[in-house]
Amino acid sequence: MSQHELTVTVNGVCRRARVAARLTLVDFLRDELHLTGTHVGCEHGVCGACSVLLDGRPVRSCLLFAVQAEGAAIVTIEGLSPDPEGLGILQDSFWETHAQQCGYCTPGMLIAAHALLQRNADPSEAEIRDAISGNLCRCTGYQQIVEAVALAARRLRGVNVTEADEHGG
Ligand code: FES
Ligand code: FES
């Protein structure tokens, strides 16, 4: 099996490795770099659980070979946290609105939502639903995820609210 030199930046850190041509990007991230926050679901591009940012755009890492990411900047779910122990505003908003149950879809949802908020600071509900429409969740019914993204958008715009504030609780 042919091997290739690979150089990528992952969560701001330059990584060099020698990888098999057929190694998928998600297997590289999970098995070689031990970044297991990126989940593997369907393994054929349907569920979105394996989403990562590749040069700022969400991609399905099960559909890419690691060698296709040569020279790219990758951000995984671990890279969205301000530090290993802390939650970012988007993650905290998911926690506050109970936007995860089993949590299997959550890393991919967060990646999709982060990408949306990077390009649109004030998304409508329809825009939020469209942004996460490629990510499947079998637990939540999506409503709390939509609420979480809207809450995070408001917080990131400097409107420091909680769900309780909004509902008079
Ligand atoms: S595991 Fe990649 S889209 Fe489902
Ligand atoms: S929280 Fe279980 S799949 Fe989304």
Side-chain angles (χ1 to χ4, degrees):
M1 187 184 308
S2 65
Q3 298 277 318
H4 298 264
E5 299 296 332
L6 173 66
T7 302
V8 289
T9 301
V10 182
N11 299 333
V13 177
C14 181
R15 302 283 200 151
R16 292 191 175 86
R18 189 165 172 78
V19 298
R22 62 183 294 174
L23 182 69
T24 62
L25 181 57
V26 69
D27 286 344
F28 173 68
L29 294 170
R30 289 178 54 87
D31 299 341
E32 306 285 325
L33 302 187
H34 308 297
L35 293 170
T36 53
T38 301
H39 289 168
V40 181
C42 64
E43 294 188 85
H44 59 270
V46 174
C47 73
C50 64
S51 299
V52 299
L53 298 177
L54 185 84
D55 291 335
R57 292 176 38 226
V59 297
R60 301 187 186 292
S61 60
C62 72
L63 291 185
L64 287 171
F65 293 118
V67 293
Q68 290 177 284
E70 169 64 27
I74 296 166
V75 176
T76 68
I77 186 63
E78 290 88 350
L80 293 191
S81 298
D83 62 69
E85 305 297 323
L87 298 179
I89 288 175
L90 179 59
Q91 291 157 308
D92 184 70
S93 298
F94 268 61
W95 176 81
E96 185 158 339
T97 61
H98 308 286
Q100 65 278 321
Q101 291 181 27
C102 80
Y104 207 86
C105 71
T106 308
M109 287 289 183
L110 287 165
I111 290 288
H114 177 82
L116 168 67
L117 297 178
Q118 288 293 106
R119 65 178 187 272
N120 182 351
D122 189 12
S124 66
E125 179 177 333
E127 288 169 329
I128 294 171
R129 289 186 181 279
D130 183 65
I132 64 168
S133 62
N135 293 71
L136 302 183
C137 176
R138 64 186 176 184
C139 305
T140 65
Y142 301 97
Q143 185 58 39
Q144 288 117 315
I145 296 173
V146 173
E147 290 173 14
V149 179
L151 176 61
R154 290 193 295 279
R155 286 174 163 179
L156 288 164
R157 292 197 308 273
V159 185
N160 192 16
V161 294
T162 66
E163 283 298 285
D165 290 336
E166 293 208 325
H167 295 104

